[in-house]
Structures are given as structure tokens and as C-alpha cells.
Amino acid sequence: MSAVKLEEFRERIRKELDTTVDFWLKHSHDPLHGGFFTCLGKDGKVYDELKYVWLQGRQVWMYSRLYRTMDRFRRPEILEAAKAGGAFLRRFARVPSSGSGQWKCAFCLTRDGKAVKIQRTIFSECFYILAMDELSRVTGDKDMQLEAEQMMEQLISWVRVDPSGLGRPQLPGDVPTNSMAVPMMLLCLVQQLTEGRGAEVVQKYTELASWCVQQILQHIQRGGTAILENVSGNGAELPGCQGRLQNPGHALEAGWFLLQLSAQQKDEALQKTAIDKFMELPYQYGWDKEHGGLFYFLDVDGHCPTQLEWNMKLWWPHCEALIAFLMAYSHTKKPELLHRFSEVFEYTFKHFPDAQEGEWFGYLTQEGKVALDFKGGPFKGFFHVPRCLYMCERILDDMLAKKD
């Protein structure tokens, strides 16, 4: 594909990123209590004041990353928003874990920071760590960086040593499960905490990174023909709907996580696995050949998935697919990977962006019609869209610079 076409991709992505940033700067900030509103309607108006810690952490991370790494976003209002969001998180997100002497992060807070709900998972803590580490890189706050590292140690203990601090009861019928989201997130955190920090820090997390990779690779099932979302603790296929579940977007996201690591470690075998198994396979079984776009969930044996939204087209799997295929092409220069990117790009930019009000719709019907017209909610915030656009712009910058 010509440099002209790559330039066209970059220009559209750049404009979309600028529009997205402006939308959230304009509509999501809470000047009274700090933090961010994420339940934003089509026009950006707040329809619910609850604040979701996943999305607070993600927005702090995204603002901080943009400010730190892209000259045009090195703007005072972005820095101040990141710092205000970080202060809100540090003041309100952490709550004592019942009887364990440890801290958990809430899932949901009131507008003024009172905890509403706590999940018995690690994900609020994951995005707290991402936020604190990235913000510390911008502000130079060593206490904030230490806080992120200490929370990381607690997370590792919950996942690999003693999960009792999560508050989840041990039930007799509960089978130990390897859900792909857990090693994926830990690998994401390893990459965040080690970025640019030297050999000593990289060495500290080397064994954990290897463990994450092995846990993710256990999800290659059916003789290498399928990626399953959940497997047993020892890497075997689970019975029933849980075991047959496929999430193409998640597999694609895992693919580019693995691809990044393979580049850092110069591991050609891992690169091939990342592309062949975690990108090509999910694309082949996940792409809707009639209407276009990626299905949200599938059943590996062809049964109807029990998730009511299984055949909808959601924003974030398409974001992950764009990152995955463009990154894969940048590493291999295989034209079929750029073709995949182009196909996903055409579908995504035709269906998700709102040309009138800005930002993207998140939830489409199978046919590609807008099903839910809000721009933000309990799970959609300032993260997947801007992270995708940011990463794709940077990959295209690098590719076009090499063509000059």
C-alpha cells in the first residue's frame, strides 16, 4: 500500500483523536468534587453522576500519556485534568478490604467519592496502578510511583498466592479458572511499570511477564484452531458455555500485548504465535461476513451464546483490531495484515464516529445501526477510542518516517 494511503489513514486518525480529546475535556470534568463524569449522552450531557473507578483510572492514564508523549497535547488543561483525576482517585478509590488488613479499590463511587460498590476482582486496582504510574512520570511524584508498585505487589499476591483478600468465598462447586483477562492485565501492567526504567526494574518483573505469557498461551485450544476466553487452572478446556466462550476483541487485544513483548524480547516464535493465533484466528471466526464488523461473543461449537449482546458490534473490539493489525503489519510488512487493518478501518470509521456531536457510539446492532446512543457509560469512557487512535497514529508516524 502506498505512502499516500498510509498518510490518509494517519490524517483521519489524527483528526478523530483531536475531536475525541476535545469532547472529554469539554464534557467530563467535575469542577466541584474532582474526577470525571463518564455517563455522557449523545451530546455530552451528564445523565448519571456515579463515577466508575476503572474509567477514572483509565482517563488519568490517557491524559497523562498524551501529555507526556505527544507535543500537541502538552497543554496545561490536560495536565491539570490528569492531576485532578489522580487526586480524586488517591483520596477516594481505596477502601479497606474486609478483615484482610489490605486495601481494595472500589468499582463505583458517588459524585463526592463515597464508595457504592466493590468488585471481587483485580481490575479496579489494575487501572489505579496504570493511572498512578503514568501520572508519576508526568509529575515526578516518587510517592505516587511507589504507591503503584506497592499496589502491584498486592495484586500479584492475590493472583498467584492468596486470593482471599479479594473477598470471594471458596465454594465447593467453583472450579479454578484461568480467565484470559487476568494474565492480560498483569502483562499490561508489567509493560507499563518497566517502560524506560532500566534493566533492574525489567529484571524484577521478568518472571511475572513469562508467567503471564504462558497463562495467555493456554487459551489456544482445539489443536490450535480456537482461542477460548476461559480455561481450567491447568490449561484444559472447561465444560459448558463458560468453556466454549470466545471473545474476538479480547483475543485481538491479547495479540498486540504479546506482539509488543515479542519485539522487546526479539522472540520470533512469540511474534508468530501472537499474529497467527491471536489475530488471524479471531478475525477469521469473529468477522461478520454478512454485515461486517466483529461479533462480541461467539460459541466455539456454534451454539447461540447466552450473552444477550453476543451479536452486537461494540466499539472496543474494533479498536483492538485496528491496533493489532497495524502493529503486526509494522513488524512484518505482510500486505495481508495491512489489508485486515484497512477492512476494519473502513467498517469502524463508517459506523462508530458521530460526525455531528463528536466521539464514538459504542453499541451497534448486528446490522451496524446505533443501538445505544450515549457516548459514555459505566464501561465506556476515555480509553479504548483514544488509546487506539493514539497508538495507530504513532505507528503510522514511525512507518511514514521510514519511507521518507
Side-chain angles (χ1 to χ4, degrees):
M1 193 173 288
S2 70
V4 172
K5 185 61 177 177
L6 295 178
E7 183 61 58
E8 289 175 3
F9 284 140
R10 183 173 66 174
E11 185 61 24
R12 179 67 195 276
I13 286 166
R14 183 185 176 97
K15 287 180 179 178
E16 203 65 44
L17 179 56
D18 290 346
T19 299
T20 299
V21 171
D22 289 345
F23 183 93
W24 288 89
L25 285 171
K26 180 178 180 181
H27 297 296
S28 72
H29 298 180
D30 182 355
L32 183 60
H33 295 288
F36 311 111
F37 298 117
T38 60
C39 293
L40 305 179
K42 179 180 180 180
D43 58 359
K45 289 180 181 175
V46 178
Y47 63 84
D48 193 316
E49 293 183 347
L50 289 175
K51 293 174 179 174
Y52 296 87
V53 170
W54 286 29
L55 304 186
Q56 302 294 309
R58 288 169 163 182
Q59 191 156 346
V60 171
W61 179 86
M62 195 73 246
Y63 277 155
S64 301
R65 177 60 64 111
L66 289 171
Y67 182 87
R68 181 170 69 89
T69 62
M70 288 189 124
D71 288 345
R72 75 179 187 277
F73 294 118
R74 202 158 292 153
R75 292 151 43 186
E77 66 268 31
I78 292 178
L79 175 60
E80 291 309 310
K83 289 163 68 174
F88 183 84
L89 279 171
R90 294 180 87 182
R91 185 176 179 188
F92 297 118
R94 292 170 297 174
V95 295
S97 181
S98 179
S100 70
Q102 299 173 322
W103 291 89
K104 278 284 291 163
C105 285
F107 172 70
C108 181
L109 305 168
T110 61
R111 180 181 180 182
D112 60 355
K114 296 182 183 70
V116 174
K117 180 180 178 180
I118 295 176
Q119 289 183 319
R120 297 168 177 176
T121 67
I122 66 169
F123 301 113
S124 290
E125 290 77 14
C126 288
F127 295 112
Y128 187 91
I129 293 167
L130 278 180
M132 292 301 108
D133 185 78
E134 187 63 31
L135 183 57
S136 76
R137 293 169 183 266
V138 172
T139 62
D141 188 328
K142 297 299 183 183
D143 289 339
M144 194 180 291
Q145 182 186 337
L146 179 61
E147 197 174 297
E149 292 170 355
Q150 290 172 339
M151 182 75 81
M152 181 67 171
E153 293 308 307
Q154 182 173 286
L155 258 184
I156 295 167
S157 177
W158 283 341
V159 172
R160 301 187 66 183
V161 181
D162 179 11
S164 62
L166 294 171
R168 192 182 302 138
Q170 295 288 319
L171 301 174
D174 188 21
V175 177
T177 301
N178 170 3
S179 170
M180 191 159 63
V182 172
M184 278 179 62
M185 275 309 309
L186 286 179
L187 182 58
C188 176
L189 292 175
V190 168
Q191 292 174 327
Q192 172 70 36
L193 292 169
T194 58
E195 181 191 345
R197 289 232 166 92
E200 184 177 340
V201 177
V202 171
Q203 183 62 36
K204 176 181 177 181
Y205 292 109
T206 296
E207 188 276 332
L208 177 60
S210 297
W211 179 86
C212 291
V213 170
Q214 292 310 310
Q215 293 289 301
I216 294 169
L217 295 182
Q218 286 184 352
H219 292 265
I220 305 172
Q221 295 285 324
R222 303 286 178 99
T225 64
I227 304 296
L228 300 182
E229 187 71 7
N230 305 295
V231 295
S232 73
N234 61 4
E237 186 172 333
L238 293 166
C241 296
Q242 181 188 26
R244 297 194 305 268
L245 184 66
Q246 296 182 290
N247 182 333
H250 227 184
L252 285 155
E253 186 177 17
W256 71 257
F257 285 7
L258 294 173
L259 186 56
Q260 275 192 323
L261 187 66
S262 75
Q264 292 161 8
Q265 298 181 345
K266 297 181 170 51
D267 186 336
E268 292 184 4
L270 183 59
Q271 180 193 84
K272 179 173 173 54
T273 298
I275 295 172
D276 292 351
K277 302 302 182 184
F278 286 88
M279 296 182 192
E280 289 285 16
L281 269 182
Y283 182 85
Q284 289 164 12
Y285 62 67
W287 190 259
D288 183 345
K289 294 173 179 58
E290 182 180 1
H291 300 289
L294 289 161
F295 288 112
Y296 194 31
F297 291 112
L298 292 167
D299 182 296
V300 70
D301 287 337
H303 299 289
C304 180
T306 56
Q307 290 80 8
L308 300 182
E309 71 276 27
W310 74 268
N311 64 346
M312 292 179 69
K313 310 296 168 58
L314 271 65
W315 82 106
W316 71 262
H318 296 79
C319 290
E320 303 313 314
L322 288 169
I323 298 169
F325 286 120
L326 189 61
M327 187 183 294
Y329 175 72
S330 75
H331 285 294
T332 68
K333 299 301 184 288
K334 291 182 177 179
E336 62 268 25
L337 295 170
L338 189 56
H339 175 74
R340 298 271 193 255
F341 170 80
S342 180
E343 189 168 21
V344 177
F345 182 96
E346 294 302 324
Y347 179 89
T348 300
F349 280 80
K350 180 179 179 181
H351 291 88
F352 288 102
D354 180 358
Q356 280 70 48
E357 303 287 354
E359 237 280 346
W360 290 15
F361 299 111
Y363 302 84
L364 311 179
T365 66
Q366 181 177 355
E367 296 76 22
K369 308 286 188 185
V370 175
L372 308 174
D373 72 358
F374 55 74
K375 299 295 173 53
F379 299 99
K380 183 180 184 293
F382 185 67
F383 185 62
H384 284 286
V385 172
R387 182 178 71 167
C388 166
L389 298 170
Y390 159 80
M391 291 188 67
C392 287
E393 182 179 336
R394 286 174 65 91
I395 292 169
L396 286 164
D397 282 345
D398 290 343
M399 289 169 57
L400 287 163
K402 290 172 183 174
K403 284 181 175 289
D404 291 341

Short mmCIF file of all heavy atoms in Angstrom, two decimals, residues 102 122 152-166 168 170 176 182 186 207-208 211 215:
data_model
loop_
_atom_site.label_atom_id
_atom_site.label_comp_id
_atom_site.label_asym_id
_atom_site.label_seq_id
_atom_site.Cartn_x
_atom_site.Cartn_y
_atom_site.Cartn_z
N GLN A 102 -5.87 -5.40 54.09
CA GLN A 102 -5.40 -4.90 52.80
C GLN A 102 -6.39 -3.85 52.29
O GLN A 102 -7.48 -3.67 52.82
CB GLN A 102 -5.27 -6.06 51.80
CG GLN A 102 -4.27 -7.12 52.23
CD GLN A 102 -4.30 -8.33 51.30
OE1 GLN A 102 -5.35 -8.76 50.83
NE2 GLN A 102 -3.13 -8.87 51.02
N ILE A 122 -9.68 -7.97 40.30
CA ILE A 122 -8.47 -7.15 40.40
C ILE A 122 -8.50 -5.90 39.52
O ILE A 122 -7.55 -5.12 39.53
CB ILE A 122 -7.22 -7.98 40.02
CG1 ILE A 122 -7.28 -8.38 38.53
CG2 ILE A 122 -7.07 -9.19 40.93
CD1 ILE A 122 -5.98 -8.97 38.00
N MET A 152 0.82 -3.07 42.98
CA MET A 152 1.16 -4.15 42.07
C MET A 152 1.56 -5.40 42.86
O MET A 152 1.17 -6.53 42.51
CB MET A 152 2.28 -3.72 41.13
CG MET A 152 2.70 -4.77 40.11
SD MET A 152 1.38 -5.10 38.90
CE MET A 152 2.27 -6.13 37.71
N GLU A 153 2.35 -5.24 43.90
CA GLU A 153 2.76 -6.39 44.71
C GLU A 153 1.55 -7.07 45.35
O GLU A 153 1.48 -8.29 45.44
CB GLU A 153 3.75 -5.94 45.78
CG GLU A 153 5.10 -5.48 45.24
CD GLU A 153 5.73 -6.50 44.30
OE1 GLU A 153 5.85 -7.67 44.70
OE2 GLU A 153 6.07 -6.11 43.16
N GLN A 154 0.59 -6.27 45.80
CA GLN A 154 -0.62 -6.83 46.37
C GLN A 154 -1.41 -7.61 45.33
O GLN A 154 -1.93 -8.69 45.60
CB GLN A 154 -1.47 -5.71 46.98
CG GLN A 154 -2.75 -6.20 47.64
CD GLN A 154 -3.46 -5.06 48.35
OE1 GLN A 154 -3.04 -4.61 49.40
NE2 GLN A 154 -4.55 -4.59 47.76
N LEU A 155 -1.49 -7.03 44.14
CA LEU A 155 -2.19 -7.70 43.03
C LEU A 155 -1.56 -9.06 42.72
O LEU A 155 -2.27 -10.06 42.55
CB LEU A 155 -2.10 -6.83 41.78
CG LEU A 155 -3.30 -6.00 41.35
CD1 LEU A 155 -2.99 -5.33 40.04
CD2 LEU A 155 -4.51 -6.86 41.20
N ILE A 156 -0.25 -9.08 42.61
CA ILE A 156 0.46 -10.32 42.30
C ILE A 156 0.16 -11.36 43.36
O ILE A 156 -0.08 -12.55 43.05
CB ILE A 156 1.98 -10.07 42.19
CG1 ILE A 156 2.28 -9.15 41.00
CG2 ILE A 156 2.74 -11.38 42.04
CD1 ILE A 156 3.70 -8.59 41.00
N SER A 157 0.13 -10.94 44.61
CA SER A 157 -0.17 -11.87 45.70
C SER A 157 -1.58 -12.42 45.57
O SER A 157 -1.81 -13.63 45.75
CB SER A 157 0.02 -11.17 47.04
OG SER A 157 -0.32 -12.03 48.11
N TRP A 158 -2.54 -11.56 45.26
CA TRP A 158 -3.92 -12.03 45.10
C TRP A 158 -4.04 -13.06 43.98
O TRP A 158 -4.75 -14.04 44.11
CB TRP A 158 -4.83 -10.85 44.78
CG TRP A 158 -5.18 -9.98 45.95
CD1 TRP A 158 -5.08 -10.30 47.27
CD2 TRP A 158 -5.66 -8.64 45.89
NE1 TRP A 158 -5.48 -9.25 48.05
CE2 TRP A 158 -5.85 -8.21 47.23
CE3 TRP A 158 -5.96 -7.76 44.86
CZ2 TRP A 158 -6.33 -6.93 47.54
CZ3 TRP A 158 -6.43 -6.50 45.17
CH2 TRP A 158 -6.61 -6.09 46.48
N VAL A 159 -3.34 -12.83 42.90
CA VAL A 159 -3.47 -13.70 41.73
C VAL A 159 -2.69 -14.99 41.89
O VAL A 159 -3.17 -16.08 41.54
CB VAL A 159 -3.01 -12.96 40.45
CG1 VAL A 159 -2.95 -13.91 39.26
CG2 VAL A 159 -3.96 -11.79 40.15
N ARG A 160 -1.51 -14.92 42.48
CA ARG A 160 -0.61 -16.08 42.45
C ARG A 160 -0.41 -16.77 43.81
O ARG A 160 0.12 -17.89 43.83
CB ARG A 160 0.75 -15.66 41.88
CG ARG A 160 0.65 -15.08 40.48
CD ARG A 160 2.02 -14.83 39.88
NE ARG A 160 2.77 -16.05 39.65
CZ ARG A 160 4.01 -16.11 39.19
NH1 ARG A 160 4.66 -14.96 38.92
NH2 ARG A 160 4.63 -17.25 39.00
N VAL A 161 -0.79 -16.11 44.89
CA VAL A 161 -0.51 -16.68 46.22
C VAL A 161 -1.78 -16.91 47.02
O VAL A 161 -2.14 -18.05 47.34
CB VAL A 161 0.46 -15.77 47.01
CG1 VAL A 161 0.75 -16.39 48.38
CG2 VAL A 161 1.75 -15.54 46.24
N ASP A 162 -2.49 -15.83 47.34
CA ASP A 162 -3.63 -15.92 48.24
C ASP A 162 -4.73 -14.97 47.78
O ASP A 162 -4.62 -13.76 47.99
CB ASP A 162 -3.19 -15.57 49.67
CG ASP A 162 -4.34 -15.62 50.66
OD1 ASP A 162 -5.43 -16.12 50.30
OD2 ASP A 162 -4.16 -15.14 51.79
N PRO A 163 -5.80 -15.49 47.17
CA PRO A 163 -6.85 -14.62 46.66
C PRO A 163 -7.87 -14.19 47.71
O PRO A 163 -8.85 -13.50 47.38
CB PRO A 163 -7.53 -15.50 45.60
CG PRO A 163 -7.36 -16.89 46.12
CD PRO A 163 -6.02 -16.90 46.81
N SER A 164 -7.68 -14.55 48.97
CA SER A 164 -8.69 -14.28 49.98
C SER A 164 -8.95 -12.78 50.15
O SER A 164 -10.06 -12.37 50.51
CB SER A 164 -8.29 -14.90 51.32
OG SER A 164 -7.08 -14.34 51.81
N GLY A 165 -7.94 -11.95 49.88
CA GLY A 165 -8.12 -10.51 50.01
C GLY A 165 -9.13 -9.93 49.04
O GLY A 165 -9.62 -8.81 49.25
N LEU A 166 -9.46 -10.67 47.99
CA LEU A 166 -10.47 -10.21 47.04
C LEU A 166 -11.87 -10.31 47.63
O LEU A 166 -12.82 -9.71 47.10
CB LEU A 166 -10.40 -11.01 45.74
CG LEU A 166 -9.13 -10.84 44.91
CD1 LEU A 166 -9.10 -11.85 43.77
CD2 LEU A 166 -9.04 -9.41 44.36
N ARG A 168 -13.70 -13.09 47.83
CA ARG A 168 -14.53 -14.07 47.14
C ARG A 168 -14.57 -15.36 47.96
O ARG A 168 -13.53 -15.95 48.23
CB ARG A 168 -13.96 -14.34 45.75
CG ARG A 168 -14.88 -15.13 44.83
CD ARG A 168 -14.20 -15.39 43.49
NE ARG A 168 -13.81 -14.15 42.84
CZ ARG A 168 -12.66 -13.97 42.21
NH1 ARG A 168 -11.76 -14.93 42.17
NH2 ARG A 168 -12.39 -12.82 41.65
N GLN A 170 -14.81 -19.27 49.06
CA GLN A 170 -14.45 -20.55 48.46
C GLN A 170 -15.69 -21.43 48.43
O GLN A 170 -16.20 -21.82 49.49
CB GLN A 170 -13.34 -21.22 49.26
CG GLN A 170 -12.02 -20.46 49.25
CD GLN A 170 -11.31 -20.54 47.90
OE1 GLN A 170 -11.28 -21.59 47.28
NE2 GLN A 170 -10.73 -19.44 47.47
N PRO A 176 -11.21 -23.90 39.75
CA PRO A 176 -10.19 -22.89 39.43
C PRO A 176 -10.13 -22.62 37.93
O PRO A 176 -10.06 -23.55 37.12
CB PRO A 176 -8.89 -23.56 39.93
CG PRO A 176 -9.34 -24.51 40.99
CD PRO A 176 -10.68 -25.02 40.54
N VAL A 182 -7.12 -11.84 33.26
CA VAL A 182 -6.20 -11.65 34.38
C VAL A 182 -4.74 -11.61 33.93
O VAL A 182 -4.04 -10.62 34.20
CB VAL A 182 -6.44 -12.72 35.47
CG1 VAL A 182 -5.36 -12.65 36.55
CG2 VAL A 182 -7.82 -12.53 36.09
N LEU A 186 -2.17 -8.22 33.90
CA LEU A 186 -0.88 -8.21 34.59
C LEU A 186 0.25 -7.95 33.60
O LEU A 186 1.20 -7.23 33.91
CB LEU A 186 -0.66 -9.54 35.31
CG LEU A 186 -1.48 -9.74 36.59
CD1 LEU A 186 -1.17 -11.11 37.20
CD2 LEU A 186 -1.23 -8.65 37.61
N GLU A 207 10.14 -12.66 35.46
CA GLU A 207 9.48 -13.94 35.72
C GLU A 207 7.96 -13.79 35.63
O GLU A 207 7.27 -14.66 35.07
CB GLU A 207 9.87 -14.47 37.10
CG GLU A 207 9.38 -15.89 37.39
CD GLU A 207 7.95 -15.96 37.90
OE1 GLU A 207 7.50 -14.98 38.52
OE2 GLU A 207 7.28 -16.99 37.67
N LEU A 208 7.43 -12.67 36.12
CA LEU A 208 5.99 -12.44 36.04
C LEU A 208 5.54 -12.32 34.59
O LEU A 208 4.49 -12.87 34.21
CB LEU A 208 5.61 -11.18 36.81
CG LEU A 208 4.13 -10.77 36.75
CD1 LEU A 208 3.22 -11.87 37.32
CD2 LEU A 208 3.90 -9.44 37.46
N TRP A 211 5.33 -15.74 33.14
CA TRP A 211 4.16 -16.43 33.66
C TRP A 211 2.90 -15.96 32.94
O TRP A 211 2.04 -16.77 32.56
CB TRP A 211 4.03 -16.18 35.17
CG TRP A 211 2.84 -16.83 35.79
CD1 TRP A 211 2.74 -18.10 36.26
CD2 TRP A 211 1.55 -16.22 36.02
NE1 TRP A 211 1.48 -18.34 36.76
CE2 TRP A 211 0.73 -17.19 36.64
CE3 TRP A 211 1.02 -14.96 35.77
CZ2 TRP A 211 -0.60 -16.94 37.00
CZ3 TRP A 211 -0.30 -14.69 36.13
CH2 TRP A 211 -1.09 -15.67 36.73
N GLN A 215 0.29 -18.23 30.72
CA GLN A 215 -1.13 -18.28 31.05
C GLN A 215 -1.99 -17.88 29.85
O GLN A 215 -3.04 -18.48 29.59
CB GLN A 215 -1.42 -17.35 32.23
CG GLN A 215 -0.81 -17.80 33.55
CD GLN A 215 -1.49 -19.03 34.11
OE1 GLN A 215 -2.69 -19.03 34.37
NE2 GLN A 215 -0.74 -20.09 34.28
#
